[in-house]
Amino acid sequence: MSARVGVILFPGSNCELDCRRSFDALGAEVEMIWHGDVALPDVDLVVLPGGFAHGDYLRTGALARFSPIMDAVAAHAAGGGLVLGICNGFQILCEAGLLPGALKKNVGLKFLCKWTELRVDNADTPFTNRAHAGRRLRIPINHFEGNWYVDDETLRSMKENGQIVLRYTSNPNGSLDDAAGISNATFNVFGLMPHPERACDLLLGSEDGALILGSTLDHVASDARAAV
Amino acid sequence: MRYAAVVDVMPKEGIADPQGQTIEKALPALGYGGVAEIRVGKRIELQLEAAGPDEARERVLEMCERLLANPVIEVYEVTIR
Amino acid sequence: MTRTDPAPYRALGLTEEEFEAIEHRLGREPTHTELAMFSVMWSEHCSYKSSRVHLRNLPTDGPEILVGPGEGAGVIEVAPGIAVAWKIESHNHPSFVEPFNGAATGIGGIVRDILSMGARPIALLDPLRFGPLDDARTRYIVEEVVHGISAYGNSIGVPTVGGEAVFEECYAENPLVNVACLGVIEDRLMHGRAEGPGNAGVLFGSSTGRDGIGGASVLASAEFDETSLEKRPSVQVGDPFSEKLLIEASLELVRRGLVVGFQDLGAGGISCPASEMTSKAGTGMKVWLDRIHLREADMEPFEVMISESQERMLAVVEPDDVEAVLDVCAKWGLEARVVSEVTKSGRLEVLKGDELIADVPAEALAEEGPVYERRFERPSWIDELQVATSGDDPPEDLAGAFLSVLRSPNVSSKRWIWEQYDHMLFLGTVQGPGADAAVIRLPKGDVAVALTTDGNGRYCYLDPYEGARLAVAEAARNVACTGARPVAITNCLNFGNPEKSDVMWQFVEAVRGIGDACSALGTPVTGGNVSFYNETKGRAIYPTPIIGMLGILERPSASVGLGFRSEGDVIMTAGATSPDDLGGSEYAKVVNGVVAGKPPGLDLDAERALIGFLQEGAASGLLHSAHDPSLGGLVIAIAESGLASDLGFELEASFDHRILFSESPSRAVVTCAPEREVELEGLAERHGVPLARTGLVGGDRFDFGSFSVAKTEATDVFENALPERLAASMSL
């Protein structure tokens, strides 16, 4: 059975169709979930897509964390379910306290849409198991607030645990420790600023994003096998 | 009673503030030397009903914790009038 | 009804003759509200009163054209069952007064035009014109315009995939901010028609405020002077979040078949859709002012009728569907109310309470605006300009001249600009900013469109007819370089004050040039926009028609880029180079400081042949790269192909500066694998295109034969020229 992926649609989201298309192409069963719903359908992975949820007014992700669906997302995460936040989705997960830290304005004070090179520094997670440690990925970023920050103490423990999963090889936004993608302590919630769904087709410039998206599907499949 | 509240949200001390740094670099070029420690934050004004000023403050502080500020990177100050 | 004395018409921009025509049409004096409605609907911006007689002559028919000019946007069938909407608009005047919001709301407007056809907006292109960057105010305008496009376009989720930025003295106090948008029809093509008396008019989106009262009409229908900055209150403020919700709600309404037709509220406010939709359908409409959701309670009726508050649409809905429409809007968090009803009367009736405060024939507003045959005359200065030398003497240092041209912000990389735009959303950007044309794979079907905007104001200044033909030819060539077949254009005609005979002559000549070139190349005009009065203190911009060309690429994977592909590939030059084509060139301007002479000569038969060659070369897989020499000529084109791929090259012959920098049209620098050189020559011969072997790809130098520079140096100059000039503004 293929993995079931639920993509949450907030008002102002704009990468939900791209996420659906890229997960579709990898063989997942994708369902769109309205932010106003209070319950999640039966899904293995919840995706918070990029965009400008609620206009990103006040602060990025600040209003979206109060969308009705977010309690169910938190419960899904607490139960060990997989949650993936891409770009704005990452910002929402931080605001919601499901991931540590916060995302500030890029140091250059400009929106940046460009290809970046990432390094996989922890390949032993549900989001990176198709790669090997040290693998370079070519995946684009597209954000104004991607400058991840967390206090020193938390950063130290995150580094020790291997929670800084992806790093930029050339930091585009001032992000602490060159972090591009980070995980919670139990590795079932993952947020990254780069857009893996935009890098699943050589015609568009790269297929490396499929390693990230595909990893989640492999993880679900191996979980299912373990359960049997 | 109706109270007016002003919330000043500022970047936490020690958190880099690129907007402030940019302005700090620009001002000397305009002839304003000796300017330092520029920080850029935001001001939120609101009105609310409450039994007294203490209750008004309590409620606004709660709003700050939950929504108006992000405690990871911001501090806030509430003034009730 | 309350009567009004005629004095206000002048303040509203109407002439005495126009006022009399209104009186004559109504058979009485117009009310305040009626006068305000006429003033916006009969403004230059809304009525095309100076341009209409000339635009009529443009070719508009073609096998792929489903909807031509006169609707929200042109609609083109790109494959069986797959149609796209394509249109360009200007927001020049608002962007000078308030660059951030001017540019932002310009995007909002064109996106709603596309949306009103039932199409999902999926790509934007921004042709921009600014003054020279050594001026601090210009740098401010550049930063704010780009920031406005970035903030609004990115937030509404429509990628900006192309455009241009040109810097020239004449735009210093009249920057041009044009924006083109592509949409793809998702379910069914909509028409902005208010069919069916008894149907309801639902106004949805943002509330109506005093912002932008008479904005487009006031700002875009008069010249600028010192007081222009005081017009700031009439500039609209954009709310991208509302626009995004408006897009999603509108598309859901179309998908569920809940609307008969809709149109956005832009210039002219609600008066525009209320009169245009009914006039097209031969119906009428009753509008109840009290039902319109206002931002400020004490608005006058005339203000409500012409407010240009952003992010609003008027939908015509069958009574049984009203509830469902309101539900969809509520789901998306949008305010929506039934504010009007379609009638049989042919009249637009506006009620406040029980009082009828406006009652005019819809056609009178929408269709019967004045039509002027403005006087035009070839100015004598054009002869002097054309015989003047363009400064063709050889430069002392060819390498230095090359680097100067490469460093010109007109030529150098625009990465600083386009990296601020989301240019990848929707997974369709096969080729994005920096390419000859953006190649966008459509969400449905394996087909792509190629999009470009082009227009050279200098050429048009020297000869508006030739300049306009050159613009169409270049746009078609850019599209063809990617392998696509040029199919249709939309155009944005930016000119000075049409009441001046020389400006009007430029306009008439340019329109004639566009028409001739479009007929010859088989690319009809599907619509566009005219922006007059681009003058400040009596100084007009160069006549600047911008051509937005759309091409069809049947196989997206066959797309050819401008960058070289592999070391060892053979560089060939297709088309003929004339040493006399330096008039109006970047070389003449940058190296010699001259804008004079005649623009390059164009043979449209040669252009058509080249286009056929490029298409077939791409489809057959022969071409590894293709790039047309334009600004800066052959040297810059070859260098750009190297820069785009980080590959050096070596030319096999030495050319003099008049060949290297010539801007002859109808050429392309192409590459192919060495073993297929003969095949490519055969293809060129079949198409009647001269093809000359020029050099080889490889090495770490840009070796032009007569001079050479290190690849790293060229890269440094190309990438850093624009940010370095703009950086001056950081230190103010």
Side-chain angles (χ1 to χ4, degrees):
Chain A
M1 197 183 101
S2 50
R4 291 150 305 175
V5 175
V7 179
I8 303 207
L9 174 56
F10 296 93
S13 294
N14 61 32
C15 299
E16 73 280 2
L17 298 174
D18 295 358
C19 283
R20 179 165 74 185
R21 191 159 160 188
S22 293
F23 269 112
D24 265 347
L26 290 167
E29 240 177 69
V30 187
E31 189 170 340
M32 305 304 280
I33 302 167
W34 181 239
H35 83 114
D37 294 350
V38 290
L40 285 174
D42 189 15
V43 293
D44 303 301
L45 167 70
V46 174
V47 178
L48 280 70
F52 296 76
H54 298 279
D56 268 355
Y57 291 153
L58 190 62
R59 285 184 315 279
T60 55
L63 297 168
R65 66 169 278 212
F66 292 107
S67 275
I69 196 68
M70 286 306 290
D71 283 342
V73 173
H76 176 78
L82 296 185
V83 179
L84 170 63
I86 300 169
C87 195
N88 192 225
F90 180 18
Q91 295 163 340
I92 296 168
L93 291 176
C94 285
E95 280 282 343
L98 292 173
L99 285 173
L103 291 140
K104 304 187 301 167
K105 279 194 166 58
N106 298 342
V107 284
L109 293 181
K110 280 186 175 49
F111 190 100
L112 279 180
C113 178
K114 60 188 285 192
W115 288 93
T116 57
E117 189 187 72
L118 313 173
R119 189 181 60 239
V120 178
D121 281 339
N122 183 352
D124 190 19
T125 81
F127 303 90
T128 47
N129 59 51
R130 273 196 191 181
H132 57 82
R135 170 80 149 88
R136 307 292 173 109
L137 306 176
R138 186 171 186 263
I139 300 182
I141 56 166
N142 185 63
H143 61 250
F144 206 141
E145 284 96 357
N147 180 354
W148 181 71
Y149 169 85
V150 76
D151 64 83
D152 290 346
E153 203 179 319
T154 314
L155 179 65
R156 205 172 318 121
S157 78
M158 288 179 74
K159 281 164 82 167
E160 278 167 19
N161 292 344
Q163 287 171 250
I164 315 293
V165 174
L166 295 176
R167 284 189 175 84
Y168 300 109
T169 58
S170 174
N171 193 331
N173 54 26
S175 182
L176 203 58
D177 201 33
D178 299 327
I182 61 152
S183 163
N184 65 349
T186 46
F187 294 100
N188 62 321
V189 180
F190 181 63
L192 75 170
M193 289 312 298
H195 285 262
E197 82 281 9
R198 294 186 177 190
C200 294
D201 186 343
L202 277 182
L203 190 59
L204 305 180
S206 170
E207 285 183 319
D208 293 350
L211 285 177
I212 304 281
L213 305 187
S215 289
T216 63
L217 307 185
D218 286 358
H219 179 84
V220 168
S222 70
D223 256 12
R225 277 196 301 276
V228 176
Chain B
M1 285 285 289
R2 195 164 187 79
Y3 291 91
V6 175
V7 181
D8 287 303
V9 181
M10 296 297 293
K12 242 186 195 171
E13 205 169 322
I15 301 264
D17 174 17
Q19 290 183 89
Q21 286 161 5
T22 304
I23 297 169
E24 202 165 306
K25 271 184 238 153
L27 283 174
L30 293 174
Y32 300 101
V35 180
E37 304 284 316
I38 293 189
R39 311 282 283 167
V40 178
K42 64 186 152 214
R43 174 186 165 114
I44 300 163
E45 298 181 346
L46 59 101
Q47 299 202 350
L48 76 164
E49 294 287 342
D54 289 346
E55 188 195 311
R57 172 178 301 279
E58 275 310 303
R59 290 188 53 205
V60 177
L61 287 173
E62 196 184 314
M63 292 176 206
C64 289
E65 276 301 314
R66 293 194 64 200
L67 176 66
L68 301 181
N70 181 346
V72 178
I73 46 171
E74 293 170 330
V75 290
Y76 51 85
E77 216 175 86
V78 174
T79 314
I80 303 285
R81 290 195 198 126
Chain C
M1 284 200 218
T2 47
R3 294 243 161 174
T4 177
D5 62 287
Y9 68 80
R10 277 191 198 283
L12 291 167
L14 290 166
T15 66
E16 192 161 341
E17 293 73 35
E18 288 166 351
F19 180 75
E20 280 167 10
I22 295 166
E23 268 193 327
H24 180 75
R25 183 67 173 84
L26 296 181
R28 59 176 166 79
E29 274 185 23
T31 66
H32 242 23
T33 305
E34 289 168 344
L35 199 54
M37 290 158 61
F38 273 104
S39 78
V40 293
M41 291 304 295
W42 285 19
S43 69
E44 185 67 58
H45 185 84
C46 294
S47 74
Y48 294 85
K49 56 191 167 190
S50 302
S51 56
R52 208 189 283 191
V53 290
H54 303 286
L55 298 177
R56 269 179 205 148
N57 300 325
L58 292 172
T60 57
D61 288 333
E64 290 93 357
I65 310 302
L66 300 180
V67 176
E71 298 274 346
V75 178
I76 300 142
E77 185 168 42
V78 296
I82 298 178
V84 295
W86 176 231
K87 171 99 185 283
I88 193 167
E89 258 282 7
S90 67
H91 234 218
N92 304 337
H93 301 84
S95 301
F96 179 60
V97 177
E98 165 55 51
F100 179 90
N101 279 298
T105 55
I107 293 180
I110 189 75
V111 160
R112 289 191 301 278
D113 281 340
I114 296 298
L115 192 56
S116 67
M117 307 308 292
R120 175 179 285 278
I122 60 163
L124 293 163
L125 291 88
D126 290 282
L128 308 173
R129 300 290 183 276
F130 301 109
L133 285 169
D134 48 20
D135 173 57
R137 164 111 186 129
T138 291
R139 292 195 299 267
Y140 164 78
I141 292 176
V142 171
E143 294 220 342
E144 289 295 293
V145 163
V146 170
H147 188 199
I149 293 168
S150 162
Y152 200 95
N154 298 350
S155 297
I156 62 171
V158 184
T160 299
V161 300
E164 310 154 84
V166 174
F167 305 86
E168 188 90 47
E169 284 79 359
C170 67
Y171 305 113
E173 297 193 74
N174 267 104
L176 302 184
V177 176
N178 292 180
V179 51
C181 187
L182 177 85
V184 58
I185 309 282
E186 284 200 331
D187 296 279
R188 64 196 173 103
L189 176 59
M190 300 295 296
H191 293 281
R193 285 186 173 72
E195 306 282 359
N199 284 342
V202 177
L203 181 64
F204 65 106
S206 293
S207 54
T208 300
R210 280 205 179 87
D211 45 345
I213 297 282
S217 40
V218 172
L219 283 177
S221 303
E223 286 182 33
F224 274 135
D225 54 34
E226 285 80 2
T227 67
S228 296
L229 289 178
E230 292 163 20
K231 286 180 178 154
R232 213 178 272 257
S234 60
V235 170
Q236 312 90 321
V237 174
D239 173 5
F241 182 48
S242 290
E243 180 93 349
K244 171 65 176 168
L245 300 177
L246 202 67
I247 293 172
E248 297 304 330
S250 299
L251 292 174
E252 184 169 340
L253 294 177
V254 175
R255 187 160 58 240
R256 292 174 54 185
L258 294 173
V259 284
V260 175
F262 53 20
Q263 188 173 328
D264 72 302
L265 278 68
I270 195 173
S271 296
C272 186
S275 57
E276 287 185 356
M277 292 176 79
T278 49
S279 171
K280 279 177 190 156
T283 55
M285 187 173 276
K286 245 183 199 149
V287 180
W288 292 279
L289 280 184
D290 303 314
R291 297 190 186 175
I292 294 176
H293 39 293
L294 303 180
R295 200 171 303 154
E296 298 158 87
D298 58 342
M299 287 177 67
E300 296 288 328
F302 87 90
E303 292 178 314
V304 178
M305 285 307 293
I306 65 169
S307 158
E308 293 181 6
S309 289
Q310 297 290 293
E311 292 99 22
R312 297 180 299 160
M313 301 272 285
L314 182 67
V316 170
V317 178
E318 287 179 11
D320 287 349
D321 292 331
V322 166
E323 194 125 336
V325 167
L326 299 182
D327 283 348
V328 168
C329 292
K331 171 188 155 193
W332 288 102
L334 290 174
E335 186 92 40
R337 293 189 196 170
V338 175
V339 301
S340 66
E341 186 181 299
V342 180
T343 65
K344 290 182 202 158
S345 68
R347 306 185 72 81
L348 181 55
E349 299 163 273
V350 181
L351 291 117
K352 181 160 180 67
D354 295 333
E355 190 189 357
L356 192 62
I357 53 172
D359 180 7
V360 298
E363 273 187 351
L365 281 173
E367 309 287 342
E368 295 169 14
V371 175
Y372 293 131
E373 302 226 18
R374 301 242 187 237
R375 204 172 69 82
F376 58 91
E377 189 177 6
R378 186 176 206 271
S380 54
W381 52 259
I382 200 111
D383 297 321
E384 292 159 36
L385 192 64
Q386 289 184 347
V387 296
T389 166
S390 44
D392 305 350
D393 299 338
E396 283 175 18
D397 168 17
L398 262 181
F402 162 69
L403 290 172
S404 300
V405 174
L406 189 65
R407 192 177 285 115
S408 159
N410 293 338
V411 170
S412 70
S413 170
K414 310 298 185 294
R415 183 185 301 275
W416 182 92
I417 295 176
W418 54 254
E419 273 188 355
Q420 298 186 52
Y421 305 150
D422 181 351
H423 51 270
M424 301 180 185
L425 188 67
F426 300 131
L427 311 184
T429 311
V430 177
Q431 291 195 52
D436 279 327
V439 174
I440 304 301
R441 181 179 61 185
L442 299 180
K444 275 195 292 189
D446 194 29
V447 61
V449 293
L451 308 168
T452 182
T453 59
D454 290 288
N456 185 318
R458 259 182 227 153
Y459 294 165
C460 292
Y461 166 64
L462 300 178
D463 185 334
Y465 173 77
E466 287 297 332
R469 290 199 326 142
L470 283 160
V472 174
E474 185 183 349
R477 193 185 320 132
N478 278 331
V479 158
C481 277
T482 70
R485 173 171 60 95
V487 166
I489 74 157
T490 180
N491 58 28
C492 196
L493 308 175
N494 306 278
F495 288 79
N497 182 345
E499 295 158 45
K500 297 179 179 171
S501 64
D502 52 347
V503 170
M504 200 59 210
W505 174 79
Q506 292 173 328
F507 179 80
V508 172
E509 285 290 285
V511 171
R512 190 166 69 85
I514 292 171
D516 285 357
C518 284
S519 296
L521 298 178
T523 56
V525 181
T526 61
N529 171 248
V530 178
S531 173
F532 279 130
Y533 299 100
N534 291 289
E535 294 204 9
T536 298
K537 296 172 200 157
R539 282 196 307 274
I541 57 164
Y542 287 166
T544 313
I546 304 278
I547 306 301
M549 180 71 73
L550 181 144
I552 298 173
L553 183 63
E554 278 156 23
R555 272 186 307 127
S557 58
S559 148
V560 171
L562 72 87
F564 294 139
R565 193 178 294 176
S566 323
E567 299 231 352
D569 278 358
V570 182
I571 305 172
M572 318 273 267
T573 305
T577 303
S578 161
D580 298 325
D581 285 340
L582 283 174
S585 67
E586 192 69 12
Y587 171 81
K589 177 71 192 291
V590 170
V591 177
N592 299 322
V594 178
V595 178
K598 283 188 177 167
L602 171 66
D603 171 357
L604 285 167
D605 289 333
E607 192 69 59
R608 224 177 19 228
L610 179 78
I611 289 169
F613 162 74
L614 289 169
Q615 269 172 244
E616 199 179 329
S620 63
L622 266 177
L623 293 179
H624 281 185
S625 73
H627 182 35
D628 73 311
S630 56
L631 283 191
L634 203 56
V635 270
I636 294 298
I638 298 174
E640 283 173 340
S641 289
L643 289 161
S645 55
D646 200 25
L647 288 169
F649 54 83
E650 194 178 333
L651 301 198
E652 290 170 346
S654 291
F655 303 102
D656 92 341
H657 74 287
R658 292 163 58 101
I659 296 294
L660 291 174
F661 294 103
S662 160
E663 294 184 7
S664 294
S666 319
R667 292 180 298 163
V669 173
V670 300
T671 55
C672 70
E675 65 272 17
R676 301 190 75 179
E677 195 182 332
V678 176
E679 229 179 307
L680 192 64
E681 278 165 354
L683 180 68
E685 202 176 318
R686 270 209 315 287
H687 284 273
V689 172
L691 186 72
R693 186 179 156 113
T694 312
L696 285 174
V697 177
D700 56 6
R701 294 194 70 80
F702 286 6
D703 185 344
F704 292 97
S706 38
F707 68 96
S708 109
V709 299
K711 187 181 74 183
T712 47
E713 184 184 5
T715 304
D716 182 55
V717 167
F718 182 69
E719 289 295 341
N720 294 324
L722 182 61
E724 273 168 13
R725 288 190 200 213
L726 281 163
S729 68
M730 294 307 281
S731 55
L732 303 173

